[in-house]
């Protein structure tokens, strides 16, 4: 007679875990954990299906209680949705991470030099390292910023770069988010949830803490203050409760102990300084960590219908009376076409070889490369230059013939707007499904800070494509996340 | 503190207090019914009169039955003052102000909201209802205690207390008022004489709905009578749910806030009105009108506060002077 397997008898059998030809973060071959993940893998295998389920439920409960949520725009009437989280952490050994960290700092340094150059002398154009059309056509180029010199020459103070690993486990940069990258609060909250769910694991692992981020962010922002006082007035500017990242805005303001403001809280007075409307009257603001897009910042200069922004804010910024992080116009460098030139920028400005490679890319604006893209559309991933959140892109191998034909027309109509990359195989990590472990594709978004000094988060936000075989990790399209551990080896 | 946030946090204080008051009202009425013989009927409709939500109640309040009223008071999304709505508004305000309160405060409100939302269809059962309402009351108390113990006693804290005390003063006047409407016809001349046997129980329930019975006994040291109850609930400065006490608290909070002169002057006016009231005389005639006036002045207090500190009014004034 066949015995029915009950939940309590079910356990994770790592011999049964196959990630195919993809690089798996925890398991090198069925049944064989990587050296730094041995403890974790053994521990997970020692738990019964019931115990695993219990941990999963307690994580869900913690997420509900802590109110960790995000918004899905199409979800009418439902302001927030709980954050999908997988309880099995991802582990990266520290020696590997240190190199990545250096690569990220190198990259952001070069990108900031580039942005500053574009808005000032444009040497890189004059020296013909990058063509002028690059920024001239970019929808994120702001002519209003020409001649501006923000503190330390830094435009993008908070950068979130998306990293992926190929089949050999090497990290590549997929894209740089230089405008208003989000996700760092989930990185912090994921760690808190893991501590609640698996406190015993922290005894056997030497895990680099992530909790310092709000302090580092505060210090970075404080270093930008135009007034040299001991206590600069810093605020976080949010579009409001209906924004998908409102949770994060509120969380960061709380963690830094600064005011969370909306556009209506701020006013630019006749002295071109920014003030907030407080119960004591007007109070001068020094640094604004703005989480609204450039075009909504100031109805006087940009979108005149914007009710999210502050009239006169650009005036105050251009006069140097207030610091904006990230600076308006910083997005000129997070265009996916400009991305392909980042290795050249690193060589040009720093005289160094890039530590972190780019994913090989084809630019459709180049006739030869465009022909290659059109001929191989079914094998490539094509992205529009200025979209984020995974919108407007096509994954060739997974698209229908009709979709491919339609997309080809779009590319031909506006080749400047598209770039293509081979389908890079994202690495995998195990997630818990019905008491068992199955591989899912993941990426990594570390956060890099640059003000007077540099900082990189230890690890970052690991995003997971929760659907089997899927490559789409964006939370707006059903992705989840994992706690990410940078582990110091014994 | 931002003017926009000041308004949110003030309303957070009010809505949390409203949750507790609503839970108390329904709970006391449920218990009262158990004490009355089956022949004596106390209308559930008076609860709707107390909360001042009659215009949202689509049926006749006089003949309204327990299930209908309880559902309306606790779980009806169409009733802006229902428990579930008050809690949902409190949660939205707390979400917007969570960067200035201890993290646990948001977690508590968020949890309580989920607790009620998941049990909205159980509130009509008497047994479940009792447990649910006690849970609400104790959680609001915990919220108050959490802030008292873990939040800096700063402007934000004062604004929560202002919201709480205005709401509380308003509710206490309403409860006294309804007591009068239901019970006054039975009073004999002089107000302290023979009460109908169940009037006694009803006045006790008025006290109980404010958790005031025990404190009343200690303070008054006399049997329950209308005059003493009304005086206790309006004029006692020591009992936290008495109107005079709420006003005293408001005054203390206001001293700590900037530019509070106008609001303070309004408080002092109400205090005078309360001190000088001759309740013996009013009980014979005019108490209902007197309480109406009191409520109106408490309502005006809210407008004075909004005018002084809240964003929409401040922006309107800026525009006027520009």
């Amino acid at each position: 007679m066949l015995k029915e397997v009950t939940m309590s008898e079910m356990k994770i059998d790592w011999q049964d875990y196959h990630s195919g030809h993809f690089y798996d973060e925890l398991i090198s071959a069925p049944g064989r954990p990587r050296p730094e993940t041995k403890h974790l893998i053994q521990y997970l295998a020692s738990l019964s299906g019931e115990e695993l389920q219990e941990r999963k439920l307690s994580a869900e409960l913690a997420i509900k209680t802590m109110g960790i949520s995000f918004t899905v725009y199409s979800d009418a009437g439902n302001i927030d949705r709980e954050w999908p989280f997988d309880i099995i952490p991802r582990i990266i050994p520290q020696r590997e991470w240190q190199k990545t960290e250096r690569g990220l700092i190198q990259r952001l340094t070069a990108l900031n030099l580039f942005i500053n150059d574009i808005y000032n002398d444009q040497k890189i154009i004059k020296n013909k390292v990058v063509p002028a059309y690059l920024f001239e056509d970019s929808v994120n180029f702001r002519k209003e910023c020409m001649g501006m010199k923000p503190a330390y020459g830094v435009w993008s103070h908070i950068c979130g770069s998306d990293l992926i690993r190929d089949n050999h486990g090497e990290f590549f940069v997929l894209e740089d988010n230089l405008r208003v990258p989000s996700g760092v609060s989930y990185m912090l909250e994921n760690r808190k949830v893991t501590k609640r769910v698996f406190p015993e694991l922290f005894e056997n692992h030497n895990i680099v803490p992530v909790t310092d981020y709000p302090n580092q962010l505060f210090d970075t922002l404080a270093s930008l203050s135009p007034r040299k006082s001991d206590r600069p007035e810093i605020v976080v500017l949010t579009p409001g409760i209906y924004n998908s990242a409102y949770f994060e805005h509120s969380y960061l303001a709380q963690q830094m102990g600064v005011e969370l403001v909306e556009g209506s809280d701020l006013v630019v007075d006749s002295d071109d300084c920014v003030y907030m409307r407080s119960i004591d009257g007007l109070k001068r603001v020094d640094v604004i960590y703005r989480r609204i897009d450039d075009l909504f910042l100031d109805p006087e200069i940009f979108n005149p219908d914007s009710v999210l922004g502050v009239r006169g804010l650009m005036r105050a910024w251009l006069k140097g009376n207030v610091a904006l992080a990230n600076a308006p116009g910083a997005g000129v460098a997070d265009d996916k076409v400009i991305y392909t030139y980042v290795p050249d920028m690193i060589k040009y400005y720093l005289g160094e070889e890039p530590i972190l490679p780019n994913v090989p890319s084809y630019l459709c604006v180049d006739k030869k490369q465009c022909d290659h893209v059109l001929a191989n559309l079914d094998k490539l991933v094509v992205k529009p230059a200025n979209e984020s959140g995974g919108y407007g892109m096509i994954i060739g191998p997974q698209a229908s013939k009709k979709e491919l034909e339609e997309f080809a027309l779009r590319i031909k109509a506006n080749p400047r707007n598209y770039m293509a990359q081979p389908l890079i195989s994202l690495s995998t990590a195990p997630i818990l499904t019905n008491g068992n472990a199955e591989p899912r594709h993941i990426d990594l978004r570390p956060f890099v800070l640059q003000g007077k000094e540099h900082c990189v988060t230890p690890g970052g936000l690991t995003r997971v494509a929760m659907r089997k075989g899927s490559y789409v990790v964006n939370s707006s399209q059903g992705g989840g996340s994992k706690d990410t551990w940078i582990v110091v080896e014994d | 503190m931002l003017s926009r946030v000041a308004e949110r946090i003030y309303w957070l204080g009010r809505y949390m207090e409203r949750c507790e008051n609503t839970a108390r009202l329904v709970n006391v009425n449920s218990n009262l019914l158990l004490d009355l013989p089956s022949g004596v009927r106390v209308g559930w409709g008076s609860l709707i009169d107390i909360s001042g939500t009659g215009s949202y109640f689509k049926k006749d309040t006089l003949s309204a039955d327990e299930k209908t009223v309880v559902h309306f008071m606790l779980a009806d999304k169409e009733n802006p003052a229902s428990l579930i709505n008050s809690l949902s508004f409190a949660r939205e305000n707390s979400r917007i102000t969570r960067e200035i309160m201890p993290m646990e405060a948001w977690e508590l409100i968020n949890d309580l909201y989920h607790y009620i939302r998941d049990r909205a269809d159980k509130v009509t059962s008497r047994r479940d209802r009792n447990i649910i309402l006690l849970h609400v009351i104790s959680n609001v108390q915990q919220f108050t205690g959490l802030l008292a113990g873990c939040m800096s006693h700063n402007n934000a804290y004062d604004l929560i207390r202002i919201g709480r005390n205005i709401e509380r003063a308003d509710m206490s006047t309403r409860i006294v008022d309804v007591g009068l409407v239901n019970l006054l016809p039975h009073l004999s001349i002089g107000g302290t004489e023979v009460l109908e046997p169940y009037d006694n129980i009803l006045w006790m329930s008025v006290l109980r709905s404010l958790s005031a019975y025990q404190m009343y006994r200690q303070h008054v040291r006399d049997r329950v009578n209308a005059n003493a109850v009304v005086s206790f609930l309006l004029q006692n400065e020591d009992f936290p749910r008495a109107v005079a006490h709420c006003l005293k608290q408001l005054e203390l909070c206001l001293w700590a806030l900037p530019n509070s002169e106008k609001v303070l002057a309004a408080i002092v006016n109400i205090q005078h009105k309360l001190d000088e009231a001759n309740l013996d005389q009013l009980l014979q005639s005019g108490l209902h009108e007197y309480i109406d006036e009191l409520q109106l002045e408490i309502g005006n207090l809210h407008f004075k506060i909004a005018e002084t500190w809240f964003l929409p009014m401040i922006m309107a004034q800026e525009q006027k002077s520009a």
Side-chain angles (χ1 to χ4, degrees), chain B residues 139-156:
Chain B
N139 266 261
V140 178
Q141 295 285 329
Q142 195 185 332
F143 170 75
T144 308
L146 176 71
L147 297 192
C150 300
M151 180 173 180
S152 290
H153 290 197
N154 51 18
N155 288 343

Side-chain angles (χ1 to χ4, degrees), chain B residues 184-201:
Chain B
L184 216 52
H186 304 298
L187 281 176
S188 56
I189 305 296
T192 57
E193 301 307 317
V194 203
L195 288 161
E196 295 275 327
Y198 295 112
D199 281 2
N200 199 353
I201 292 180

Side-chain angles (χ1 to χ4, degrees), chain B residues 116-157:
Chain B
I116 295 299
R117 195 192 57 182
D118 297 345
R119 287 167 182 74
D121 51 348
K122 287 194 174 162
V123 293
T124 44
S125 130
R126 278 196 190 165
R127 213 171 68 92
D128 291 332
R129 186 199 309 157
N130 188 41
I131 296 169
I132 293 170
L133 294 178
L134 290 179
H135 183 86
V136 171
I137 294 169
S138 79
N139 266 261
V140 178
Q141 295 285 329
Q142 195 185 332
F143 170 75
T144 308
L146 176 71
L147 297 192
C150 300
M151 180 173 180
S152 290
H153 290 197
N154 51 18
N155 288 343
Y157 184 69

Side-chain angles (χ1 to χ4, degrees), chain A residues 272-298:
Chain A
D272 289 339
C273 291
V274 182
Y275 296 87
M276 57 182 163
R277 297 176 168 113
S278 78
I279 58 169
D280 310 274
L282 295 180
K283 207 166 164 191
R284 168 105 185 248
V285 172
D286 298 302
V287 183
I288 301 176
Y289 177 25
R290 53 101 173 193
R291 297 292 299 254
I292 63 182
D293 290 339
D294 281 2
L295 294 180
F296 294 97
L297 270 182
D298 182 353

